[in-house]
Amino acid sequence: MSSSSNGRPRVAVILSGWPRVSESFALNEVLALKRAGMLAAVLALKTGDGGPPHPAAAELEPLVEVLPPGDVDAQAEAAVQRLDGIGISAVHGYFAHAPAAVAAAVASKFGVPYGFSVHALDARKVPRDELGERARGAALVVACNDDAAAEVEAAGTTPTVVRHGVDLVAFPATRPAEHDPVQLLAVGRLVEKKGFEVLLEALSRLDRPYRLRLVGDGPLRPALTALIDAHRLADRVELVGRCTHATLPEYYASADVVVVPSVVDSAGDRDGLPNVVLESMASQRPVVASEVAAIPSAVRDGVTGTLVPPRDPDALAAAIAALIDSPARRAELGRGARAVAETEFGLTSRTEEFCRVLERAYG
């Protein structure tokens, strides 16, 4: 087993893909390992989604190598060849499926411990008995929220919960301008689990003035465009398309209310705790969100925002209407949101905890 010059373990990280715009949480944690002197190498199983990279990705880019395609055994062998001779203390996989399997195989070759992080759908991609066996063999299983933790517990192992954080500087608290009408914002990939079809249905029933910006792109864009036309919302709803992390804070600053209408999709996929929730809270904006998965761990009804049942357009419309009607309530919830973001979800404190957890497990 090898350690760095500061006595801390040297961890090789296996990512699912690089770069991936939606996986800023992984980027933040791996960067924290690097800055703590604990990062030995970063290997990705495939190339990323092709979107505009996170600004912080540039710091990690020179350290990331994408492995040749192949099955778990082939990619593990390629990883072993690339890691041979550099001295590693442990291997940590991001996600419970292929990255964790490769991490386990690589660690076995070097005779070092392995662990992995569980987030959302990844735990459900692995048969429960296989997940349990993989988790029992690990020195560490990290779950980023209670929903992911429950999947690991159901497989017979207790994970360590380390919540994701949000950059409180990149997403500063701002006072919303006086808007007429009220400006709504939704952010995310245009896929079923984000619930944007439910949002458009809710807006078609909303008898208040508003404008919505929907930031993101994806396969449901044509269907959402058709829904906008069918509900005659074209003068009030704008599909902005994909934006960069550098410009995203401006969208929060120009919004009055952020809507996160997540659902469990037809394949069983669902969000864990979407980035948009913490970014909205850091930006001091109230959040109207579905009570699904780990969202209630941050969106606390009446404190940081409003929770509604998923796939309930009437409840969603009513919650949005209530905030449109009350600027004072929006401001109160926004202040509550920022306070919770600062005390519980600050990026620095969360990534420092992540590094401490890995150091204890792999040291």
Side-chain angles (χ1 to χ4, degrees), residues 42-134:
V42 186
L43 301 175
L45 303 187
K46 57 189 173 184
T47 55
D49 50 23
H54 191 289
E59 182 179 342
L60 205 59
E61 178 69 36
L63 304 177
V64 181
E65 183 172 354
V66 178
L67 296 173
D71 61 15
V72 167
D73 290 338
Q75 291 199 297
E77 184 57 38
V80 167
Q81 292 177 14
R82 284 155 177 75
L83 297 173
D84 191 31
I86 71 170
I88 62 171
S89 309
V91 189
H92 192 84
Y94 262 90
F95 300 113
H97 54 303
V102 170
V106 172
S108 177
K109 293 281 189 179
F110 287 110
V112 299
Y114 74 90
F116 57 94
S117 293
V118 183
H119 297 275
L121 179 64
D122 56 304
R124 302 176 186 99
K125 287 183 175 180
V126 183
R128 185 156 287 175
D129 58 345
E130 182 180 333
L131 176 62
E133 182 180 356
R134 189 169 297 157

Side-chain angles (χ1 to χ4, degrees), residues 253-266:
S254 64
D256 296 296
V257 178
V258 181
V259 189
V260 185
S262 299
V263 300
V264 179
D265 73 13
S266 52

Side-chain angles (χ1 to χ4, degrees), residues 128-177:
R128 185 156 287 175
D129 58 345
E130 182 180 333
L131 176 62
E133 182 180 356
R134 189 169 297 157
R136 286 189 293 274
L140 174 67
V141 180
V142 176
C144 67
N145 58 63
D146 294 339
D147 185 60
E151 291 293 325
V152 179
E153 289 166 355
T157 302
T158 301
T160 300
V161 176
V162 181
R163 303 190 189 282
H164 293 157
V166 61
D167 190 330
L168 299 169
V169 176
F171 295 94
T174 60
R175 292 172 60 97

Side-chain angles (χ1 to χ4, degrees), residues 13-75:
V13 172
I14 308 294
L15 298 175
S16 178
W18 174 268
R20 283 188 168 169
V21 176
S22 64
E23 293 175 10
S24 57
F25 53 85
L27 171 62
N28 289 330
E29 290 172 352
V30 177
L31 279 173
L33 290 175
K34 174 181 177 290
R35 293 163 185 170
M38 294 172 59
L39 186 63
V42 186
L43 301 175
L45 303 187
K46 57 189 173 184
T47 55
D49 50 23
H54 191 289
E59 182 179 342
L60 205 59
E61 178 69 36
L63 304 177
V64 181
E65 183 172 354
V66 178
L67 296 173
D71 61 15
V72 167
D73 290 338
Q75 291 199 297

